[in-house]
């Protein structure tokens, strides 16, 4: 402060000197030429005259002009002693001499020195000025201090406060972890901006925090609501998390379980060693996240009881030692169900075996029955037929006509019964014998059968036409039987017509080939169509048309065994059409022809 | 009954009616006097191998053809067939199965065992006569011819 003040004072005095100089210079300039002229013309009076003009300046104590040789040329005031002036002019400039200030100014004319002007002024004015300066400086200093104080107050209010408030908010947030707090914004300058940014940051933190919380809550909810027991543990197997399902499954409270050794707590002795080894192996290797598959094993409850579980162990990699998670599912119920299913299966199998043997027995019985029928029923019939024939042959002459007629009735009926037995046996055999399925040229088959039958029927007026029939997949001998029965039926029931026309045709539908036999015979009433295919069901009296009532039943059985279907349409006296359909190669498996295994074939063959 | 030594046809039939019908059928073709009739399988085997009732003779009889029913008491027809075809002494005798059965399994079994013919006894007598006669004759004649051949070659 003092230094500065001294510097200020020096500047001020220098300034004063300059002002003196300037003053002189100004006067000089006004009268410069005149002084110069006075010097050139060596006219000291003129110079004196000029100097006397300083009279009005009370501070100017003395002034003089030196010639170019440094001799006093003119002086002011007039009465001043010659020795009150310096003997020789000094170098130009301002000098402080005691309380006064002196000033030398050379007078030059185009670089040529003409003389020197000397001025001596007291410093009273300057002192006054200095005092004023000092006063002003004092005020300035005081004012500055005041302003500084005011500024600091203002600044404290406007800068420090918001920053402190920011700091406070930050501290509170750190303490309470409450990211909903906000710093108050006080202005809209840079500090306001800073506060806003801080708040913005808080917003972001709060948003992330809530997201984090949400995600954690979600994860926790999963953990809490999972039906599987979930146990997480550190790399040494100490339990970290133990969810409610685990509490329920193992019988420990979470608080009891956390920190305990998972293997020790939940696994029976038999599994502990193996699992520890597994875990320590997995603790160091980064090879895989998954331990492996779900293992079925036993787990142990808090009461020591064991129960079957499915345990999946996973490794949770993280910075530092990994953690492990177990997902444990209580499979007691499933095991029980499996056991039940197994038991049921076994029972079912037993039952199947039992039923199969029953069926086999029944089948055997049936076979035995039909064998007996075939063998034993025919023997007496043969005797009746044979001996009545012999009677006719050998004793016929001794009988009258009526006797011979009666014998003929007996013989005819034995033949009829023989046929019945044969048909019935064929029908029962159809269900038991194996079919050899192969591709069959149905056109050729139908033609052959029709040819044989018309030739045998001795009916010249029967006209059979066979169209192009689609090839079939089936068993030759049984399908041949179908054609035989259907065509012979048609021949039989249209035999009274002249001509009797029989049309055999075929077509292919989406999943089946359809074959039809149409005649112009006596037909039948569709009301009785349902009885057509029943065994021993007949729509005509035996006296009208011969037949055993087995033929169509046999046909239906054969068609069904081929996975096909059969139906008829007719009108009385307008003929009948029989259709049968066999599945073709586009048919779905259920409709497919049932083939028999070689074994079955052997048994029935 | 004729001398078993002259037997050309061995008829194995337990049913008396069937036997009579068969004999009558054979008679129609003048074959009846050379037929030996046995009523069960056991007797048939005794006749063929010279055992039991036929042991005194010290050897079996070799008929030209055997007409064999399948359903027989004691030893059934299939067994008789198996024994005939399983023995060197009788293997060459033609065997014709005469049966009521139309069961495939009998037919197949019979052919497996080496039966020479299989005839289903028809209900109608005239057809029965025809069938029996034809087959009996066929095999008798064939067998005769073969024996002659054998004699000729030896």
């Amino acid at each position: 402060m003092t230094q500065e003040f001294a510097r200020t004072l020096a500047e001020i005095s220098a300034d004063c000197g300059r002002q003196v100089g300037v003053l002189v210079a100004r006067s000089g300039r006004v009268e410069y030429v005149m002084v110069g002229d006075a010097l050139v013309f060596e006219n000291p009076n003129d110079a004196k005259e000029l100097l006397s003009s300083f009279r009005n300046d009370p501070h100017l104590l003395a002034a003089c002009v030196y010639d170019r040789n440094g001799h006093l040329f003119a002086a002011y005031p007039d009465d001043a002693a010659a020795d009150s002036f310096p003997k020789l002019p000094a170098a130009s400039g301002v000098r402080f001499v005691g309380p006064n200030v002196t000033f030398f100014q050379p007078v030059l004319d185009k670089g040529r020195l003409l003389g020197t002007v000397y001025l001596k002024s007291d410093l009273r004015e300057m002192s006054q000025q200095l005092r004023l300066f000092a006063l002003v400086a004092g005020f300035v200093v005081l004012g500055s201090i005041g302003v500084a104080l005011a500024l600091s107050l203002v600044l404290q209010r406007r800068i420090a406060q918001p920053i402190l408030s920011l700091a406070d908010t930050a501290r509170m947030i750190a303490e309470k972890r409450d990211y909903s707090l906000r710093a108050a914004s006080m202005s809209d300058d840079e500090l306001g901006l800073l506060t806003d940014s801080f708040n913005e940051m808080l917003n972001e933190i709060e948003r992330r925090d809530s997201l984090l919380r949400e995600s954690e809550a979600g994860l926790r909810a999963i953990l809490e609501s999972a039906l599987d027991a979930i146990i997480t543990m550190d790399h040494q197997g100490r339990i970290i998390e133990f969810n409610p399902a685990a509490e329920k499954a193992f019988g420990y409270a979470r608080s009891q379980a956390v920190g305990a050794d998972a293997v020790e707590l939940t696994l029976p002795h038999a599994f502990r060693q193996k699992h520890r080894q597994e875990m320590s192996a997995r603790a160091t290797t980064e090879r895989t996240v998954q331990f492996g598959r779900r293992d079925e094993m036993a787990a142990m409850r808090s009461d020591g009881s064991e129960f079957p579980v499915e345990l999946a162990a996973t490794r949770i990699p993280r910075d530092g030692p990994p953690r492990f998670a177990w997902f444990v599912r209580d499979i007691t119920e499933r095991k029980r169900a499996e056991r039940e299913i197994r038991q049921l299966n076994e029972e079912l199998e037993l039952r199947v075996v039992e039923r199969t043997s029953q069926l086999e027995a029944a089948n055997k019985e049936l076979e035995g029955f039909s064998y007996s029928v075939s063998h034993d029923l025919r023997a007496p019939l043969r005797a009746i037929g044979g001996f009545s024939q012999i009677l006719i042959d050998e004793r016929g002459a001794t009988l009258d006509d009526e006797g011979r007629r009666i014998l003929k009735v007996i013989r005819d009926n034995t033949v009829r019964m023989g046929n019945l037995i044969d048909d019935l046996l064929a029908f029962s055999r159809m269900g038991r014998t194996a079919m050899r399925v192969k591709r069959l040229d149905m056109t050729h088959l139908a033609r052959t059968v029709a040819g044989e039958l018309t030739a045998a029927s001795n009916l010249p007026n029967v006209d059979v036409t066979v169209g192009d029939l689609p090839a079939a997949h089936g068993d030759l001998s049984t399908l041949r039987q179908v054609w035989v029965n259907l065509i012979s039926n048609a021949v039989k029931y249209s035999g009274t017509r002249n001509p009797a026309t029989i049309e055999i045709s075929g077509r292919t539908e989406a999943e089946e080939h359809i074959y039809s036999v149409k005649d112009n015979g006596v037909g039948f009433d569709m009301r009785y169509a349902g009885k057509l295919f029943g065994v021993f069901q007949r729509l005509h009296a035996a006296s009208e048309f011969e037949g055993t009532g087995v033929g169509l039943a046999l046909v239906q059985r054969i068609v069904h065994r081929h996975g096909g279907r059969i139906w008829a349409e007719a009108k009385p006296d307008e003929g009948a059409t029989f259709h049968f359909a066999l599945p073709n190669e586009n048919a779905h498996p259920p409709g497919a022809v049932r083939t028999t295994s070689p074994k079955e074939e052997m048994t029935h063959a | 009954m004729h001398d078993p030594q002259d037997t050309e046809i061995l008829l194995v039939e337990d049913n008396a009616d069937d036997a009579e019908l068969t004999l009558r059928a054979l008679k129609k073709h003048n074959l009846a006097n050379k037929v030996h009739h046995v009523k069960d399988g056991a007797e048939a085997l005794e006749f063929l191998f010279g055992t039991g009732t036929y042991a005194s003779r010290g050897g079996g009889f070799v008929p030209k053809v055997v007409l064999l029913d399948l359903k027989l008491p004691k030893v059934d027809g299939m067994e008789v067939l198996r024994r005939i075809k399983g023995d060197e002494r009788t293997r060459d005798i033609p065997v014709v199965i005469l049966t009521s059965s139309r069961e495939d399994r009998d037919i197949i079994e019979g052919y497996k065992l080496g039966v020479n013919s299989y005839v289903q006894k028809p209900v109608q007598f005239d057809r029965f006569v025809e069938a029996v006669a034809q087959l009996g004759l066929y095999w008798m004649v064939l067998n005769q011819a073969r024996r002659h051949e054998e004699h000729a070659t030896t």
Side-chain angles (χ1 to χ4, degrees):
Chain A
M1 201 64 168
T2 40
Q3 268 182 344
E4 235 171 71
F5 188 61
R7 196 157 53 234
T8 311
L9 276 181
E11 276 172 12
I12 290 167
S13 39
D15 198 34
C16 287
R18 262 198 304 280
Q19 277 182 353
V20 173
V22 167
L23 179 74
V24 173
R26 177 173 31 82
S27 322
R29 212 169 287 128
V30 174
E31 291 135 21
Y32 190 76
V33 180
M34 284 187 259
V35 173
D37 286 352
L39 281 167
V40 170
F41 295 110
E42 292 178 354
N43 191 346
N45 289 332
D46 281 0
K48 264 181 207 164
E49 190 74 18
L50 284 169
L51 288 175
S52 65
S53 67
F54 288 124
R55 266 193 308 266
N56 300 326
D57 190 340
H59 298 297
L60 195 79
L61 301 176
C64 71
V65 176
Y66 299 91
D67 65 13
R68 66 174 173 272
N69 300 319
H71 303 298
L72 196 64
F73 182 64
Y76 168 82
D78 292 336
D79 51 348
D83 58 349
S84 63
F85 299 101
K87 283 275 189 327
L88 277 171
S92 67
V94 176
R95 287 177 190 81
F96 294 94
V97 182
N100 303 323
V101 64
T102 62
F103 174 75
F104 289 95
Q105 172 70 44
V107 179
L108 300 168
D109 178 29
K110 294 164 186 161
R112 190 166 59 90
L113 183 71
L114 296 177
T116 304
V117 175
Y118 168 75
L119 298 173
K120 180 180 174 183
S121 175
D122 68 18
L123 280 172
R124 270 178 305 164
E125 192 195 17
M126 269 183 65
S127 298
Q128 277 171 3
Q129 236 177 330
L130 272 175
R131 266 196 299 279
L132 186 70
F133 273 133
L135 202 69
V136 167
F139 276 121
V140 165
V141 166
L142 281 175
S144 298
I145 288 168
V147 166
L149 275 174
L151 264 178
S152 84
L153 275 175
V154 167
L155 285 179
Q156 177 161 6
R157 209 177 57 240
R158 293 193 50 185
I159 298 174
Q161 203 121 313
I163 286 174
L164 276 176
S165 141
L166 263 180
D168 259 2
T169 311
R171 188 172 45 75
M172 257 156 70
I173 288 164
E175 274 172 9
K176 295 186 185 169
R177 308 225 165 272
D178 178 2
Y179 298 107
S180 64
L181 290 174
R182 290 290 178 275
S185 184
M186 292 175 175
S187 56
D188 49 3
D189 54 8
E190 290 88 340
L191 269 171
L193 248 158
L194 180 66
T195 312
D196 287 348
S197 302
F198 182 74
N199 285 341
E200 195 59 42
M201 187 181 76
L202 280 177
N203 280 343
E204 182 65 13
I205 288 174
E206 191 184 12
R207 198 177 62 79
R208 294 210 181 164
D209 185 59
S210 82
L211 279 179
L212 206 67
R213 267 172 214 275
E214 218 169 273
S215 126
E216 204 192 314
L219 287 176
R220 181 143 292 279
I222 290 170
L223 204 66
E224 302 275 309
S225 62
L227 292 177
D228 283 0
I230 299 174
I231 304 172
T232 62
M233 63 205 75
D234 64 14
H235 64 289
Q236 289 176 314
R238 281 189 300 260
I239 294 174
I240 296 167
E241 190 54 69
F242 199 77
N243 76 341
E247 290 182 320
K248 198 176 152 214
F250 292 99
Y252 295 104
R254 185 176 181 278
S255 55
Q256 290 173 289
V258 169
D261 185 299
V263 169
E264 199 81 26
L265 195 73
T266 61
L267 297 188
H269 283 285
F271 294 100
R272 286 182 191 169
Q273 192 56 30
K274 179 180 165 272
H275 222 86
R276 281 222 180 79
Q277 282 170 357
E278 183 97 343
M279 265 171 71
S280 60
R282 298 297 170 183
T284 47
T285 179
E286 300 263 328
R287 192 156 51 91
T288 173
V289 171
Q290 185 92 28
F291 263 48
R293 59 201 188 290
R294 287 180 174 275
D295 270 332
E296 275 190 18
M297 57 199 294
M300 193 178 67
R301 295 193 190 89
S302 59
D303 61 7
S305 60
E306 292 185 14
F307 62 108
V309 294
E310 202 176 66
L311 190 149
T314 58
R315 180 177 183 273
I316 307 168
R318 54 196 280 276
D319 296 333
R323 284 185 178 166
F324 297 106
W326 284 358
F327 301 86
V328 187
R329 184 172 296 169
D330 186 340
I331 55 171
T332 310
E333 271 304 300
R334 197 177 80 192
K335 281 280 164 196
R336 197 182 54 74
E338 279 175 7
R339 221 171 19 247
E340 256 170 41
I341 287 170
R342 210 166 33 240
Q343 222 160 5
L344 279 174
N345 263 344
E346 279 164 13
E347 274 171 32
L348 205 66
E349 237 154 77
L350 274 177
R351 226 178 294 171
V352 166
V353 167
E354 203 177 303
R355 287 285 154 84
T356 308
S357 73
Q358 279 174 1
L359 255 172
E360 275 169 3
N363 216 13
K364 265 230 156 66
E365 228 166 80
L366 199 69
E367 263 179 64
F369 172 74
S370 57
Y371 189 82
S372 294
V373 167
S374 170
H375 229 284
D376 301 343
L377 226 54
R378 284 160 59 97
L381 205 57
R382 198 162 47 242
I384 298 167
F387 284 100
S388 30
Q389 183 65 48
I390 290 164
L391 193 57
I392 292 168
D393 287 353
E394 298 181 5
R395 299 284 185 272
T398 62
L399 291 169
D400 59 4
D401 285 350
E402 181 60 9
R404 278 193 294 273
R405 192 192 64 81
I406 292 168
L407 273 175
K408 191 176 174 297
V409 171
I410 294 171
R411 212 199 49 165
D412 288 351
N413 273 287
T414 54
V415 170
R416 209 170 114 65
M417 186 159 178
N419 289 340
L420 258 173
I421 291 170
D422 285 348
D423 281 357
L424 203 56
L425 285 173
F427 182 69
S428 94
R429 211 167 27 236
M430 185 44 57
R432 293 179 286 123
T433 50
M435 300 201 302
R436 288 180 188 82
V437 173
K438 59 178 183 183
R439 196 184 140 86
L440 297 176
D441 180 349
M442 292 292 257
T443 313
H444 176 72
L445 185 59
R447 264 196 195 126
T448 311
V449 170
E452 285 169 6
L453 287 171
T454 47
S457 71
N458 293 322
L459 295 167
N461 60 337
V462 174
D463 176 27
V464 183
T465 56
V466 180
D468 277 338
L469 309 180
H473 266 89
D475 174 58
L476 173 64
S477 65
T478 55
L479 284 182
R480 186 188 161 81
Q481 190 66 48
V482 168
W483 284 118
V484 168
N485 289 14
L486 289 180
I487 297 170
S488 61
N489 259 10
V491 169
K492 185 162 69 182
Y493 292 108
S494 59
T496 54
R497 299 286 195 262
N498 197 1
T501 56
I502 298 167
E503 290 168 37
I504 297 169
S505 59
R507 65 180 197 275
T508 297
E509 297 278 299
E511 293 190 353
E512 53 190 14
H513 298 310
I514 297 173
Y515 307 90
S516 307
V517 179
K518 185 179 183 212
D519 65 56
N520 63 343
V522 295
F524 56 87
D525 191 330
M526 280 301 278
R527 276 184 295 175
Y528 308 119
K531 287 187 167 186
L532 270 178
F533 302 105
V535 185
F536 297 135
Q537 296 281 357
R538 300 208 61 209
L539 298 186
H540 300 277
S543 55
E544 253 185 296
F545 294 98
E546 278 188 10
T548 57
V550 178
L552 284 178
L554 185 63
V555 166
Q556 187 187 43
R557 198 155 188 186
I558 292 167
V559 170
H560 283 178
R561 267 198 89 182
H562 279 82
R565 58 204 179 91
I566 183 164
W567 68 101
E569 52 203 2
K571 265 186 184 171
D573 281 330
E574 283 180 34
T577 309
F578 282 82
H579 309 274
F580 69 98
L582 300 177
N584 64 21
E585 43 287 337
N586 299 325
H588 295 299
V593 172
R594 200 184 71 186
T595 53
T596 44
S597 65
K599 192 184 161 199
E600 199 181 341
E601 213 167 296
M602 285 286 286
T603 335
H604 291 302
Chain B
M1 204 47 101
H2 63 99
D3 180 1
Q5 192 62 51
D6 299 334
T7 299
E8 289 191 327
I9 299 172
L10 175 66
L11 174 65
V12 190
E13 174 63 79
D14 66 318
N15 186 315
D17 296 337
D18 273 357
E20 191 182 337
L21 287 173
T22 310
L23 287 170
R24 277 178 177 273
L26 291 170
K27 204 167 153 190
K28 284 207 162 191
H29 292 87
N30 299 316
L31 292 164
N33 57 336
K34 290 178 179 174
V35 175
H36 185 77
H37 174 215
V38 294
K39 292 179 179 62
D40 61 61
E43 198 187 339
L45 292 173
E46 283 171 3
F47 178 85
L48 288 169
F49 295 106
T51 55
T53 334
Y54 301 90
S56 56
R57 207 203 146 266
F61 299 95
V62 181
K64 287 184 181 141
V65 65
V66 177
L67 302 180
L68 180 66
D69 187 25
L70 280 182
K71 270 193 103 183
L72 292 170
K74 296 181 189 172
V75 180
D76 78 7
M78 280 299 170
E79 183 57 28
V80 174
L81 176 64
R82 188 175 295 115
R83 296 277 288 276
I84 291 172
K85 292 299 175 184
D87 195 301
E88 268 186 30
R89 292 170 288 171
T90 52
R91 185 183 294 155
D92 292 334
I93 304 172
V95 178
V96 177
I97 288 178
L98 279 179
T99 178
S100 309
S101 173
R102 282 180 80 175
E103 293 291 296
D104 291 346
R105 61 171 185 187
D106 282 346
I107 299 170
I108 288 167
E109 178 80 13
Y111 279 119
K112 262 188 201 160
L113 290 174
V115 75
N116 301 80
S117 280
Y118 185 99
V119 177
Q120 197 210 351
K121 298 177 198 165
V123 169
Q124 280 159 284
F125 180 68
D126 40 5
R127 281 169 61 192
F128 181 65
V129 169
E130 209 171 309
V132 168
Q134 275 186 3
L135 270 153
L137 269 175
Y138 172 74
W139 282 110
M140 244 168 64
V141 170
L142 190 75
N143 206 2
Q144 196 83 54
R146 203 172 59 196
R147 282 189 191 176
H148 280 301
E149 246 171 62
E150 277 167 15
H151 284 298
T153 49
T154 45

